[in-house]
Every structure is written in C-alpha cells, then in structure tokens.
Amino acid sequence: NNHEWIAPTATDVRSPCPGLNTLANHGYIPRNGKNISIPVILAGALEAFNMGPDGLTQAAKFGLLSGDAPDTLDLDALKLHNLIEHDASISRGDLAVTGDNLHFNETIFTTLANANPDVDYYDPLSAGQVQFERLAISLATNPNITNTLKEISVRTRESSFYLSVMGNPITGVAQKEFVQIFFREERLPIAEGWKRANVTITADTLNTIGDIIIAASNWTATQQCEDLVLGP
Ligand code: HEM
Ligand code: MG
C-alpha cells in the first residue's frame, strides 16, 4: 500500500474532520473521499493512528445519516449541520457566521495555535481552555448557536482525538508542531518525528482525557437537548 501524503485533486472530496481527511490524504481510506464504509474507516484509523474501534464506531454510525446510501458515506456530506458538525469548532467557522463549516480556517484556528504559551505542547488543560474560548467567541458572534450536551460531548471527544493521535494517548500531551501540521496540512508529521501511538487508543483512554478537558472548559449549556442514548 502506498501511504504517502498526496493533496486531494479537484474531484476528491474532503470533510470538516481533520482525522478523516488525513486518513484520505495518506490513502488509509479512499483518496477520492467517496463511498466509504464503516469497516474501512475503522481499519484505516487502527492502521494509521492505532485507534481501536470502540472510541470511533458511534461517530462513524452517525456519519451514515449524512447521505442516502445505506452503509457508506462521502466525506463532504459530513458538513451537514447539527448531525455531527457543530458550532464552535476549533478549525472551521460556524455555518451561520462564515457560511463555511467545511474548510480549515486559519483565523478560527488562532485560538488553538496560540494556546498553552511558553511550552511546546498542548495538553488536556489547554484543550479545555481552547474549547472555552471558542465557545465564548461563537456565543458572542453567532445568533444561531447550538450549545447543548450533545455539542459539548462531540467537541470534547474531538479534542481528545487530536491530543491522542498526535501525542500520548495516556497523558494527552501532544507536541504543538505535530498538532498544527495535522490541522493545517491534514498530514501525518512523520518527517518531523511523529510516530503512531504505541498503545491502542480506546474509549477508556479517550474518556480519561475527556474528563480533564471538560472540567477545564468551564462549560454550561445554553440550550437543552434530549437525553443522549448512544447504545445499549
Ligand atoms: C471533527 C478528529 C474520526 C466526523 C473532528 C475534529 C477533530 C477530529 C480533531 C475537530 C475539528 C474542529 O473542531 O475544527 C478525528 C480523528 C478521527 C476522527 C483523529 C479518527 C479517525 C471521525 C469519524 C467521523 C468524524 C469516524 C464520522 C464518520 C467528524 C465531523 C467533524 C469532525 C463531521 C466536524 C465537527 C465540527 O467541528 O463541527 N474530528 N475524527 N470523525 N469529525 Fe472527526
Ligand atoms: Mg463545526
């Protein structure tokens, strides 16, 4: 298999997710970004990131609702607002504010890029602070903001994802340089010294990091949603 980084062509499609886009740019999932099944995503995440299926399957199953096909998805369809895609993202604009919730946005990314000053790593505390700041900006600028238990759960899981795939999945400490390349270029920073985690990323490791992030994010709901039932 050829896993070199290749930028998407004009007919390849990409998502609001830097993780899936990185997998596609390295050929761990189809480079055209189309007709992708859950088992293909799970195999790609394990091979590229050492991320096991238990922390990913829920998100992947939700993703199937982005289109009509019964068991595959296209990456660009994942921009469907309020399915998985939410406001106050760390690298994409709010749909109601910028009109683009799909593409990487360097202005939005400033909050994360400048987080944890004076050291060269991000960690669960800094990730929580980034979530707080991004939400404050959205609350101040987006009259259409959605901010319920669902959004904080998804946002926190995503922060745990970037810390875990670019850093140490046990401590949640990740080199800034690796995280920034992951978001800006949707590339594995192998040339810069990144290595795939040597422990498997699981729902347990993600939740351990997520608990610290959520505590540091000083979060309150501005709307209510139904109880979340995500599995048996
Ligand atoms: C967003 C990482 C798998 C769908 C994100 C974000 C990160 C991330 C860090 C936050 C981007 C931001 O806030 O700007 C990962 C990693 C994965 C993974 C490392 C491992 C393979 C998945 C899967 C799905 C998915 C399986 C569904 C099929 C999304 C969507 C967003 C997103 C729709 C946009 C949410 C938003 O910011 O509005 N992902 N993800 N991701 N991810 Fe993933
Ligand atoms: Mg978003």
Side-chain angles (χ1 to χ4, degrees):
N1 260 359
N2 169 17
H3 290 307
E4 74 175 303
W5 183 90
I6 304 175
T9 68
T11 54
D12 295 342
V13 295
R14 292 294 180 262
S15 74
C17 173
L20 294 175
N21 293 353
T22 298
L23 293 179
N25 290 343
H26 284 276
Y28 287 100
I29 61 177
R31 292 182 185 270
N32 70 6
K34 297 171 191 169
N35 305 314
I36 307 174
S37 71
I38 294 184
V40 165
I41 291 174
L42 297 180
L46 187 64
E47 198 183 351
F49 296 136
N50 202 2
M51 186 183 281
D54 62 342
L56 265 186
T57 306
Q58 269 171 10
K61 286 182 176 179
F62 267 106
L64 291 179
L65 295 172
S66 64
D68 293 332
D71 56 10
T72 63
L73 59 87
D74 292 349
L75 292 183
D76 53 341
L78 292 172
K79 72 178 182 187
L80 184 62
H81 185 51
N82 284 349
L83 178 61
I84 302 170
E85 197 285 317
H86 52 76
D87 296 320
S89 298
I90 47 194
S91 70
R92 271 70 173 162
D94 285 8
L95 183 63
V97 177
T98 67
D100 180 2
N101 60 357
L102 173 61
H103 297 98
F104 176 79
N105 180 322
E106 184 68 44
T107 304
I108 299 289
F109 189 63
T110 306
T111 303
L112 174 54
N114 294 342
N116 230 19
D118 305 325
V119 294
D120 65 357
Y121 59 87
Y122 303 121
D123 62 15
L125 285 178
S126 74
Q129 290 159 1
V130 168
Q131 288 189 189
F132 178 85
E133 281 185 49
R134 286 291 310 124
L135 181 60
I137 293 168
S138 284
L139 287 170
T141 57
N142 184 353
N144 192 44
I145 178 91
T146 307
N147 172 42
T148 73
L149 180 64
K150 178 189 170 196
E151 284 71 37
I152 187 63
S153 305
V154 174
R155 292 170 58 226
T156 300
R157 177 50 59 97
E158 291 164 356
S159 294
S160 305
F161 277 165
Y162 77 74
L163 293 172
S164 299
V165 299
M166 286 297 115
N168 179 324
I170 304 301
T171 62
V173 171
Q175 295 298 308
K176 286 181 176 177
E177 185 189 16
F178 298 168
V179 171
Q180 291 176 13
I181 290 169
F182 172 74
F183 277 97
R184 290 190 173 120
E185 302 178 43
E186 300 182 331
R187 171 168 77 74
L188 297 173
I190 295 164
E192 290 79 8
W194 172 87
K195 288 190 177 62
R196 176 181 183 267
N198 55 16
V199 294
T200 301
I201 299 162
T202 65
D204 270 358
T205 68
L206 292 163
N207 287 336
T208 298
I209 293 170
D211 288 347
I212 304 169
I213 295 171
I214 228 170
S217 77
N218 195 21
W219 178 79
T220 47
T222 49
Q223 293 122 356
Q224 306 300 315
C225 66
E226 291 181 78
D227 291 348
L228 299 176
V229 179
L230 300 173

